């Protein structure tokens, strides 16, 4: 299913009945199905074929899960091999050759200082389960309960993970400023903004009147994904490591979406040289199947037997698919490829931004890219200065661009504080030709959405 192949003619629209039944039967909490009303029936690599006969370039990739795209041959072969062997598919946390192979391959990719002295905990099948395990681990190990997290964070949908995320309503976590260039909370951006964010954190930790007791841990994303594709400055991340290490606060790196080559390094923390105490891993490590783990320093391993468990923490098919994916990314240097191709895509998108007032910012790392769309004539008060020149996000335009992309056979995601950021998460196997096709379709979609009349955004400023 190459980009240049014509799509087959559309078949009778049985898919309309499938979509109708989904809307009648499934929870109101469903999300992607609302903005992407398609019925995938076949997929390979970047391409999805819908039940309507149309083909789509998938730059959602299972929200970053599909490092190798859909149905990569090495993944399918790994799954078939386990099925053909007669191996048990459900074993709780018993040792198996499949698990041993996965753990060995995973440890071979980890930052060496961590891998040399690490333990692994297999969790429930989702990233949020691994976040819960990480929070529970550091609280058990330190005997403390508080937590440090960051504005704009997203760590999952279970209770503890939501507490640590930026949208928490009942806050039981100390919230710290995450440095941002485009919408700097201090109104300065750049290195100065990152330095002020670090100073804020240091002062909060050392001020006896801050109201924040010594925390059990600090959790952060090396690149905020749902927060709007915001890479952490390397220097700031090193400061967080220094501050936490000096105060015996475990540092938890949430690499659920950034891991396995996505940002141009195998793990995003490697850009800064930081070695966290705990790494939270899911999505791509399962090779498209559900798998989640935490990897952490051995001295934190103070759990009693059974202190953290889960019926489906021994997913043999996911471990086989995951080991094959990890090995393929490592052996074929796909992280380096993501860095090179991602930089090229960013340059072209930045050129597009220079010609479009409605593109406020283009940012990202590797093949984790965000384009923030704005209302250029509506500024946002910032750092006490009214109309500081940073325009409001435009979620209405972003949604229109997403719809226009879908009409042109391109699947993209939205994110950011007010869903004003169009996100691109293509597989690491993306070819040069496919990358150009993606950017061409995006550019055409932006032009169409800007030309078309759409309702004025009244959702308020992007924070």
């Amino acid at each position: 299913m190459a980009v240049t192949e014509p799509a087959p003619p559309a078949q009778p629209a049985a898919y309309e009945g499938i979509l109708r039944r989904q809307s009648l039967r499934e929870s109101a909490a469903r999300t992607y199905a609302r903005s992407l009303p398609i019925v995938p029936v076949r997929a390979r690599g970047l391409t999805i074929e819908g039940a309507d006969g149309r083909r789509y370039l998938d730059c959602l990739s299972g929200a970053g899960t599909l490092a190798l795209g859909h149905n990569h041959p090495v993944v399918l072969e790994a799954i078939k091999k386990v099925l053909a062997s007669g191996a048990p598919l459900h074993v709780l946390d018993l040792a198996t050759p499949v698990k041993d192979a996965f753990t060995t391959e995973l440890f071979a990719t980890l930052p060496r200082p961590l891998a040399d002295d690490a333990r692994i905990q297999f969790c429930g099948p989702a990233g949020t389960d691994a976040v819960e395990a990480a929070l529970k681990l550091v609280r058990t190990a330190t005997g403390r309960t508080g937590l440090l997290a960051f504005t704009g964070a997203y760590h999952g949908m279970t209770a503890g993970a939501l507490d640590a995320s930026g949208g928490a309503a009942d806050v039981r976590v100390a919230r710290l400023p995450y440095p941002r260039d485009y919408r700097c909370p201090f109104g300065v951006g750049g290195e100065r903004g990152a330095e002020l964010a670090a100073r804020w954190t240091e002062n909060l930790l050392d001020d006896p009147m801050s109201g924040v007791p010594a925390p059990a841990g600090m959790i952060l994303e090396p690149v905020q994904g749902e927060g709007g594709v915001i890479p952490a400055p390397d220097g700031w991340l090193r400061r967080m490591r220094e501050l936490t290490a000096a105060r015996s606060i475990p540092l938890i790196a949430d690499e659920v979406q950034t891991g396995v080559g996505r940002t141009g390094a195998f793990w995003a923390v490697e850009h800064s040289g930081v070695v966290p105490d705990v790494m939270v891993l899911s999505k791509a490590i399962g090779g498209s199947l559900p798998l989640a783990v935490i990897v952490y320093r051995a001295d934190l391993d103070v759990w009693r037997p059974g202190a953290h468990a889960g019926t489906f923490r021994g997913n043999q098919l996911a471990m086989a698919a995951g080991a094959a994916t990890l090995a393929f990314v490592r052996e074929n240097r796909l992280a380096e490829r993501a860095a090179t191709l991602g930089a090229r895509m960013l340059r072209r998108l930045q050129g597009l931004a220079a010609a479009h007032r409605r593109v406020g910012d283009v940012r990202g790392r590797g093949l984790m890219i965000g384009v923030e769309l704005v209302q250029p004539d509506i500024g946002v008060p910032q750092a006490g200065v009214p109309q500081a020149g940073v325009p409001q996000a435009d979620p209405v335009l972003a949604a229109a661009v997403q719809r226009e992309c879908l009409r042109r056979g391109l699947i993209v995601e939205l994110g950011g504080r007010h869903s004003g950021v169009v996100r691109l998460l293509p597989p690491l196997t993306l070819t040069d030709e496919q990358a150009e096709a993606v950017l061409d379709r995006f550019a055409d979609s932006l032009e169409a959405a800007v030309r078309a009349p759409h309702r004025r955004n009244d959702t308020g400023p992007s924070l």
Side-chain angles (χ1 to χ4, degrees):
M1 288 192 283
V3 171
T4 53
E5 289 180 1
Q11 302 301 312
Y15 68 93
E16 292 180 359
I18 294 174
L19 291 174
R20 184 170 58 253
R21 287 187 291 276
Q22 180 188 40
S23 68
L24 290 172
R25 294 169 176 170
E26 288 192 25
S27 162
R30 67 189 186 281
T31 53
Y32 298 109
R34 295 180 184 275
S35 56
L36 302 171
I38 64 174
V39 179
V41 292
R42 280 175 293 276
R44 184 67 175 265
L46 178 68
T47 306
I48 287 177
E49 184 179 321
D52 59 354
R54 294 192 64 199
R55 287 183 178 157
Y56 302 87
L57 305 183
D58 182 10
C59 281
L60 175 57
S61 297
T65 298
L66 304 173
L68 305 183
H70 294 275
N71 291 326
H72 193 281
V74 303
V75 172
L76 296 182
E77 182 58 31
I79 294 171
K80 290 175 183 176
K81 185 175 179 180
V82 174
L83 291 173
S85 72
L89 299 183
H90 188 283
V91 293
L92 297 171
D93 67 353
L94 300 179
T96 70
V98 173
K99 177 192 275 192
D100 183 63
F102 169 79
T103 304
T104 299
E105 182 60 44
L106 177 63
F107 273 48
T109 70
L110 295 173
R112 185 48 47 198
L114 179 60
D116 287 343
D117 182 40
R119 297 290 184 271
I120 185 170
Q121 169 73 26
F122 288 85
C123 309
T128 191
D129 301 313
V131 169
E132 296 286 350
L135 304 185
K136 186 175 176 180
L137 172 72
V138 297
R139 284 168 171 152
T140 301
T142 64
R144 303 189 290 263
T145 59
L147 191 70
L148 301 175
F150 291 88
T151 54
Y154 178 77
H155 298 293
M157 281 290 181
T158 50
L162 282 173
D163 279 348
S165 298
D170 180 17
V171 177
R172 289 172 281 177
V173 174
R175 198 75 51 189
L176 302 169
Y178 193 94
R180 294 184 280 162
D181 271 347
Y182 190 58
R183 299 190 187 279
C184 176
F186 305 103
V188 293
E191 292 183 5
R192 178 61 176 159
E195 171 60 24
L196 289 172
R199 278 196 198 179
W200 180 289
T201 300
E202 184 172 15
N203 182 72
L204 180 139
L205 290 174
D206 293 343
D207 182 356
M209 298 295 287
S210 70
V212 177
M218 173 188 284
I219 185 168
L220 55 78
E221 299 158 274
V223 180
Q224 287 193 342
E226 303 305 315
V229 192
I230 304 172
D234 292 339
W236 173 85
L237 196 51
R238 286 191 286 268
R239 281 288 301 279
M240 294 304 101
R241 173 68 286 186
E242 292 165 2
L243 292 175
T244 52
R247 293 158 181 80
S248 299
I249 302 170
L251 178 63
I252 305 167
D254 182 343
E255 291 253 19
V256 168
Q257 192 167 102
T258 55
V260 194
R262 168 64 54 191
T263 69
F266 209 101
W267 306 107
V269 291
E270 293 177 319
H271 291 291
S272 62
V274 162
V275 179
D277 302 297
V278 184
M279 291 179 68
V280 180
L281 313 176
S282 188
K283 290 192 184 292
I285 67 163
S288 75
L289 298 179
L291 189 63
V293 305
I294 57 172
V295 181
Y296 52 93
R297 288 193 346 252
D299 64 293
L300 295 174
D301 196 31
V302 297
W303 275 335
R304 298 174 64 85
H308 195 78
T311 302
F312 293 102
R313 65 194 187 277
N315 189 334
Q316 297 294 284
L317 293 182
M319 291 178 193
T325 297
L326 293 168
F328 192 88
V329 171
R330 177 177 55 81
E331 293 166 0
N332 291 276
R333 304 178 68 86
L334 292 190
E336 292 90 333
R337 165 68 176 168
T340 301
L341 186 55
R344 191 183 309 156
M345 293 176 73
L346 277 173
R347 284 194 296 272
R348 181 168 167 191
L349 288 168
Q350 286 160 352
L352 188 65
H356 278 274
R357 296 174 65 239
R358 306 305 296 274
V359 179
D361 194 31
V362 175
R363 54 186 178 258
R365 206 157 202 176
L367 290 176
M368 190 172 182
I369 297 170
V371 180
E372 184 164 351
L373 302 178
V374 298
Q375 300 181 68
D377 299 321
I378 305 177
V380 178
Q382 193 174 48
V385 180
Q387 305 300 318
V390 180
Q392 286 187 6
D394 195 338
V396 176
L397 177 59
V401 169
Q402 185 184 44
R403 289 192 298 271
E404 293 293 341
C405 283
L406 193 64
R407 291 191 184 103
R408 289 161 177 75
L410 176 62
I411 296 172
V412 297
E413 186 178 14
L414 301 182
R417 265 49 169 196
H418 291 279
S419 298
V421 178
V422 179
R423 301 185 59 201
L424 299 176
L425 293 165
L428 309 188
T429 51
L430 189 71
T431 67
D432 291 350
E433 177 193 24
Q434 289 172 335
E436 289 302 310
V438 166
L439 296 177
D440 287 344
R441 295 185 193 190
F442 176 79
D444 289 347
S445 301
L446 176 63
E447 291 279 4
V450 168
R451 285 197 306 267
H454 62 280
R455 182 176 60 83
R456 179 180 171 85
N457 171 27
D458 59 0
T459 58
S462 178
L463 302 178

